[in-house]
């Protein structure tokens, strides 16, 4: 199974695709990146392999297709045995999954509306995002290790690192809204963790160029605003 | 028995998420102490064990708390090795995880939105969305699990527990609103699966009575019995 070709259907600018790339690179799994040219006009390949959500990333491993970035990351961890992304101990694994889920649900989810919506909904999301980041800050401070996963990067770091350490600055600039201020005294452990994340070789290899990312988000700003507002109306 | 593995499950009787954990523990044949929480007056233990979310279920194993039902079920599976809950093959595991996430993120929230709806219009809207979402699960059963008794194969597994723990809620809603989330006409595979699931030892032991949901719904909407 491990010698079958690995392909990743992705799109430029997606922090979810980035998660999978980091995982593949950490595990030293060679893969072919197939980029969707235009997410408004999805390829048949993507639609065939992720008919449920029609989103990237989708991992193709031999004749298997796996969707949902964190599901893919766990698949990659289990299908390829070197350099585990999750600890061996069941309790520590549960903690890693807990923090991955927390970052996804409580930090990243509210950011869409915190950055691009307006009025009361924006204020509420911003409050939620910052409070959640404070929880992560506390966890990082308590554990006092380089990463949420310990001394090596793991599932939880992969879940939140890209967005918080790289994408956030870009999106804040495009949205004209700050989640994290310039004050280095605020969330110091989070900032240290972000720096650790960015310093990983596997991360550096697949972090999109900041300038390009900025142009990309500037171009889709309108879409981000309308998506954020539609989420509010639900 | 006690002393080697001290297990405590904090839950509420009506929570399908807590039922998931009881089902997983039951499958593993592991004994535990169940603590019924009052969510309007949360215990010190709950607040200490799940300070981040302050929610049930929480499993406390030898003093160490684990929260989030799907995470707890995976923990139980990995900690107690007999009677596997998740399949062994990584690809099959990814399919199970994908659909578990789908159920929790797409099916249940719409269903619960329907339960909490304050107007008929809102309920109709949420109902339509619930049907659409459960339709995807029916298709998934056809694609990945057709011909099998359960999502887990010959015996129940992860996805069976994830869905099965909510069946008493679907039944409660059927009795009160005469709406079938899983029906033999629209979702025949799931309907047949639900029947088989209900007949398992684990379901008989752990699935709460749907009448409790009926009671809850009547209290919620202040309605008299239909």
């Amino acid at each position: 199974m491990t010698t079958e070709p690995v392909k990743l259907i992705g799109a430029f600018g997606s922090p979810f695709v980035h998660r999978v790339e980091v995982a593949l690179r950490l595990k030293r799994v060679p893969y072919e990146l197939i980029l969707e040219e235009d997410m408004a006009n999805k390829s048949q390949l993507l639609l065939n392999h992720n008919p449920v959500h029609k989103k990237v990333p989708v991992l193709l491993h031999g004749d298997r297709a796996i969707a949902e970035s964190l599901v893919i990351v766990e698949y990659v961890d289990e299908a390829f045995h070197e350099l585990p992304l999750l600890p061996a101990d069941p309790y520590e694994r549960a903690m890693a999954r807990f923090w991955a889920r927390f970052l996804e649900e409580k930090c990243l989810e509210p950011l869409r509306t915190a950055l691009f919506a307006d009025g009361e909904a924006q204020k509420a999301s911003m409050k939620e995002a910052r409070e959640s980041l404070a929880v992560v800050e506390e966890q990082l401070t308590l554990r006092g290790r380089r990463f949420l996963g310990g001394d090596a990067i793991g599932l939880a770091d992969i879940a939140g690192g890209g967005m918080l350490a790289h994408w956030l600055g870009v999106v804040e600039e495009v949205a004209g809204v700050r989640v994290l201020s310039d004050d280095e005294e605020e969330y110091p452990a989070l900032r240290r963790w972000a720096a650790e994340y960015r310093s990983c070789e596997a991360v550096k290899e697949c972090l999109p160029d900041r300038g390009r990312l900025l142009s990309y988000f500037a171009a889709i700003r309108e879409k981000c605003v309308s998506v954020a507002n539609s989420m509010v109306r639900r | 028995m006690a002393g080697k593995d001290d297990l405590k499950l904090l839950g509420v009787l009506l929570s399908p998420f807590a039922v998931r954990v009881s089902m997983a523990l039951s499958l593993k044949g592991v004994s535990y102490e169940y603590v019924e929480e009052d969510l309007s007056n949360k215990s010190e233990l709950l607040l200490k064990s799940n300070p981040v979310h302050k929610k049930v279920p929480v499993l406390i194993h030898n003093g160490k708390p684990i929260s989030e039902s799907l995470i707890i079920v995976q923990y139980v599976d990995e900690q107690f090795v007999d009677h596997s809950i998740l399949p062994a093959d990584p690809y099959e595991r990814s399919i199970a995880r994908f659909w578990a996430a789908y159920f929790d993120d797409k099916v249940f929230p719409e269903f619960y939105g329907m339960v909490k709806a304050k107007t008929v219009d809102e309920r109709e809207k949420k109902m339509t969305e619930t049907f659409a979402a459960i339709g995807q699960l029916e298709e998934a059963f056809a694609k990945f699990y057709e011909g099998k008794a359960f999502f887990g194969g010959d015996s129940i597994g992860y996805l069976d527990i994830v869905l099965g723990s909510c069946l008493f809620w679907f039944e409660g809603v059927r009795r009160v609103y005469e709406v079938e989330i899983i029906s033999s006409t629209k979702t025949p595979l799931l309907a047949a699966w639900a029947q088989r699931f209900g007949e398992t030892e684990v379901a008989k032991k752990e699935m709460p009575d749907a009448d409790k949901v009926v009671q809850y719904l009547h209290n919620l909407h202040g309605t008299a019995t239909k």
Side-chain angles (χ1 to χ4, degrees):
Chain A
M1 174 164 81
T2 54
T3 55
E4 287 167 296
V6 176
K7 299 180 191 184
L8 175 63
I9 310 175
F12 178 80
S14 165
F16 306 103
V17 172
H18 170 75
R19 283 174 175 167
V20 178
E21 287 203 83
V22 170
L24 289 166
R25 285 172 184 279
L26 282 167
K27 304 285 282 187
R28 307 217 224 283
V29 175
Y31 63 99
E32 180 195 340
L33 181 65
I34 304 171
L35 283 174
E36 287 289 304
E37 289 297 323
D38 178 10
M39 284 302 280
N41 197 9
K42 292 167 185 177
S43 73
Q44 208 49 56
L45 185 73
L46 174 59
L47 297 174
N48 286 345
H49 290 298
N50 191 3
V52 176
H53 297 299
K54 304 177 176 55
K55 286 181 177 176
V56 291
V58 181
L59 190 81
L60 304 175
H61 184 198
D63 58 1
R64 284 158 240 121
I66 304 109
E68 290 299 282
S69 61
L70 294 179
V71 174
I72 301 172
V73 171
E74 286 221 47
Y75 170 78
V76 167
D77 195 41
E78 290 170 356
F80 303 95
H81 303 290
E82 311 79 33
L83 305 164
L85 301 176
L86 277 164
D89 173 68
Y91 184 74
E92 292 301 320
R93 293 164 75 84
M95 293 303 103
R97 288 177 179 135
F98 178 89
W99 288 107
R101 177 105 182 129
F102 183 82
L103 280 158
E104 172 94 308
E105 229 192 342
K106 300 289 179 192
C107 301
L108 272 48
E109 253 311 295
L111 284 178
R112 270 182 242 249
T113 32
L115 290 161
F116 291 110
D118 48 31
E120 285 311 309
Q122 187 273 339
K123 286 200 185 75
S125 293
M126 180 62 84
K127 185 168 181 281
E128 189 187 355
R130 285 180 58 86
E131 280 172 356
S132 299
L133 289 175
V135 173
V136 179
E137 172 78 15
E138 193 188 351
Q139 179 66 13
L140 283 165
T141 309
L142 267 168
R143 296 242 352 190
R145 312 283 281 281
R146 288 178 69 205
F147 297 101
L148 281 164
D151 293 318
I153 185 174
L155 179 73
D157 308 288
I158 293 170
M163 188 64 207
L164 295 173
H166 189 67
W167 264 260
L168 184 60
V170 169
V171 185
E172 280 175 325
E173 206 177 308
V174 168
V177 173
R178 297 301 294 274
V179 179
L180 294 178
S181 72
D182 282 328
D183 182 6
E184 293 287 317
E185 309 275 302
E186 187 198 53
Y187 303 114
L190 207 64
R191 289 170 204 267
R192 269 196 305 275
W193 169 69
E196 291 280 11
Y197 182 82
R198 283 189 299 264
S199 73
C200 283
E201 279 313 311
V203 168
K204 281 198 259 193
E205 288 167 13
C206 56
L207 218 50
D209 171 72
R210 199 185 187 279
R212 256 192 91 190
L213 204 58
L214 200 60
S215 306
Y216 170 75
F217 274 98
I220 63 161
R221 191 185 175 281
E222 288 295 307
K223 182 160 170 264
C224 290
V225 171
S226 77
V227 168
N229 287 326
S230 75
M231 285 173 78
V232 169
R233 275 193 287 275
R234 266 156 127 261
Chain B
M1 273 234 147
K4 183 183 183 275
D5 275 306
D6 177 36
L7 278 165
K8 206 172 277 190
L9 172 60
L10 310 182
V12 295
L13 279 170
L14 281 178
S15 164
F17 306 105
V19 171
R20 280 177 187 172
V21 180
S22 330
M23 286 183 170
L25 291 167
S26 187
L27 256 175
K28 295 287 185 180
V30 173
S31 61
Y32 61 98
E33 182 197 338
Y34 175 79
V35 177
E36 176 74 10
E37 283 285 330
D38 174 1
L39 296 181
S40 62
N41 187 18
K42 293 172 184 177
S43 72
E44 268 306 302
L45 184 61
L46 174 57
L47 297 174
K48 196 184 76 170
S49 306
N50 190 1
V52 175
H53 298 299
K54 305 179 177 57
K55 285 181 173 178
V56 294
V58 179
L59 184 71
I60 307 172
H61 185 199
N62 295 332
K64 295 202 278 193
I66 306 112
S67 33
E68 299 292 286
S69 66
L70 296 182
I71 294 174
I72 301 172
V73 171
Q74 288 181 86
Y75 171 80
V76 168
D77 198 31
E78 290 169 6
Q79 184 67 31
F80 304 100
V81 291
D82 292 328
H83 307 288
S84 282
I85 295 175
L86 270 155
D89 174 68
Y91 180 54
E92 287 176 43
R93 291 160 77 88
S94 74
I95 298 170
R97 285 181 177 130
F98 176 93
W99 288 106
Y102 185 83
F103 184 81
D104 277 9
D105 294 341
K106 303 280 182 208
V107 179
F108 194 81
E110 301 298 343
F111 170 73
Y112 201 59
M114 188 182 106
V115 165
K116 293 285 209 190
K118 295 194 168 70
T119 66
V120 173
D121 271 350
E122 203 190 327
R123 192 184 312 139
E124 297 276 312
K125 182 170 181 279
K126 289 290 170 187
M127 195 172 81
T128 308
E129 291 180 18
T130 309
F131 284 148
I134 206 98
Q136 289 279 8
L137 262 162
E138 173 79 6
E139 279 187 42
F141 199 100
K143 186 172 171 187
F144 296 108
Y145 306 101
E146 189 148 28
K148 297 188 184 165
F150 301 103
F151 291 97
D154 294 325
S155 57
I156 64 175
Y158 189 65
L159 214 40
D160 300 287
I161 290 175
V162 170
L163 258 87
S165 54
C166 293
L167 288 175
F168 75 108
W169 263 92
F170 290 171
E171 176 57 20
V173 161
R174 189 192 68 79
R175 292 182 196 179
V176 174
Y177 298 115
E178 290 168 359
V179 167
E180 284 187 306
I181 305 299
I182 291 175
S183 71
S184 51
T185 45
K186 288 191 190 159
T187 58
L189 296 174
L190 287 178
W193 163 82
Q195 175 84 8
R196 288 189 296 270
F197 183 85
E199 286 160 11
T200 62
E201 282 308 306
V202 168
K204 285 191 207 160
K205 189 170 166 232
E206 305 296 342
M207 198 136 78
D209 198 322
D211 271 328
K212 297 208 159 64
V213 173
V214 171
Q215 247 175 323
Y216 171 85
L217 289 172
H218 286 316
N219 291 339
L220 184 68
H221 293 298
T223 55
T225 319
K226 253 184 161 219

